[in-house]
Amino acid sequence: MMNISIIGTGYVGLVTGVCFAKLGNNIICVDVDKKKIEMINKGVPPIYEEGLEQLLVENKNRIHATKDYEHAIQNTDVTFICVGTPSKEDGSIDLKFVKKAAEEIGKQLKNKDKWHLVVMKSTVLPGTTRDIVLPLLEQYSGKKAGKDFGLTMNPEFLREGVAVKDFLEPDRIVIGYYDDKSRKVLKELYKDFSCPILETSLSAAEMIKYASNAFLATKISFINEIGNMCKKLDIDTYEVAEGMGLDKRIGRAFLDSGIGWGGSCFPKDLDALISWAKRIGEESNIISSVVEVNKKQPLKMIELLKKHVPKLKGKSVGVLGLAFKPNTDDIRESRAIPVVKQLLKEKAVVKAFDPKAMENFKKMFPQIKYCSSAEETLDSDAVLILTKWEEFKKLDYTEKIVIDGRRLLEAKNTAKIYEGVCW
Ligand code: UGA
């Protein structure tokens, strides 16, 4: 059992805290947001993640939230930095929250006699923990890393929506370490996990996270590029993906072709990597192309729609799904954004529905019609499927023109006119 503080209660911080509590540790969460602190202390998670609420309630006596760094650092032995790393206008990473956390932790370490371990979990570019976090910790604490306090980099690989499961059943755990004592303490914290634990340098751990996300996005853009060729040749890309995936060196996962990737991670991380490559004078040809393919992919929907409804002006278009993937209300970089933008540009009447993401989408597109049910969107000249929600499977597509970006077999098998983007 260890006493752990977690800085930042976004989905990474909260999931990390709650899961470590489930494993028997005592957790103090630190956040600047008073509302979030109150909610966590009441046992109500401020975000939705499957299984999170139950774990928070079950382990309430071991989780406490506060805005007080002093209380958190003085009463724990290990601190995880889990703050956000948003993008700046130019795609580069904004480290203001990371720097602030390092400063605050440093100030508290100054008054602490005992050794303390700092763990960087936020996604940061290679070199950041060593060249930015470490100097700030030393500067504000007046102490020495590797001697008076420890430092590690421990990236997260959590998918939104299944983050609790991903935390508790990971494929691997990566421990980037500065000094040997830190490595041993963090390894001890993960002792109940049966997956491989990889020990690396701080910067390799940071790069593993970026390279993994960039590779996953590459798989998707790759199969979409192949998929666009398949569509022209009347080939079902899913048959191709299955055939490729049986080769162990390739694997079937992340070869679902469609309208591309969105969300809060892939777009931000790939942009950061591209702008980082530029700064260090290196090329990022593959990653840049992966992003380019992804920008064009959603517009295939409009191209296919126009095959059947050539003039969109004044025509009603039902949009099924606004979230960047099912089971979330997150619309960040959702493929629905460029599709709806183009529909509006061509003066179509957009009728949208999403089980969870309509409130968020309304903030960005107040001018479109939001339907009260999925059925209502079907009452349109054509229907576009943009997110693979379970409930869209139950709709009656028999009389409809359907353009499908996510391969909903129920629509494929029943619609009057059906077009899949890559099949
Ligand atoms: C992603 C990674 O999968 C996590 O491992 C990582 O930890 C996380 O980013 C992060 O950096 O924090 P997430 O953004 O939650 O997780 O979403 P995914 O489930 O990976 O899906 C990303 C996008 O790719 C979605 O828009 C999805 O529809 C699309 N996708 C995924 C495809 O188009 N085809 C596929 O085969 C798989």
Side-chain angles (χ1 to χ4, degrees), residues 2 78 80 115-119 146-147 149-154 173-191 197-202:
M2 286 190 203
V78 181
F80 280 84
W115 185 87
H116 192 97
L117 174 61
V118 180
V119 187
K147 181 171 153 274
F149 66 90
L151 186 60
T152 53
M153 199 292 146
N154 174 221
I173 290 164
V174 176
I175 297 180
Y177 64 98
Y178 182 68
D179 57 293
D180 206 49
K181 182 171 178 185
S182 301
R183 175 185 69 81
K184 284 186 185 137
V185 172
L186 195 56
K187 214 172 164 189
E188 173 67 18
L189 184 59
Y190 283 112
K191 69 175 183 326
I197 296 185
L198 187 70
E199 297 167 359
T200 69
S201 68
L202 290 174

Side-chain angles (χ1 to χ4, degrees), residues 46 97 127 155 230 234 267 299 309 337 349 360 396:
F97 301 121
C230 286
D234 207 17
L299 298 174
V309 186
I337 297 168
V349 179
N360 284 335
D396 179 7

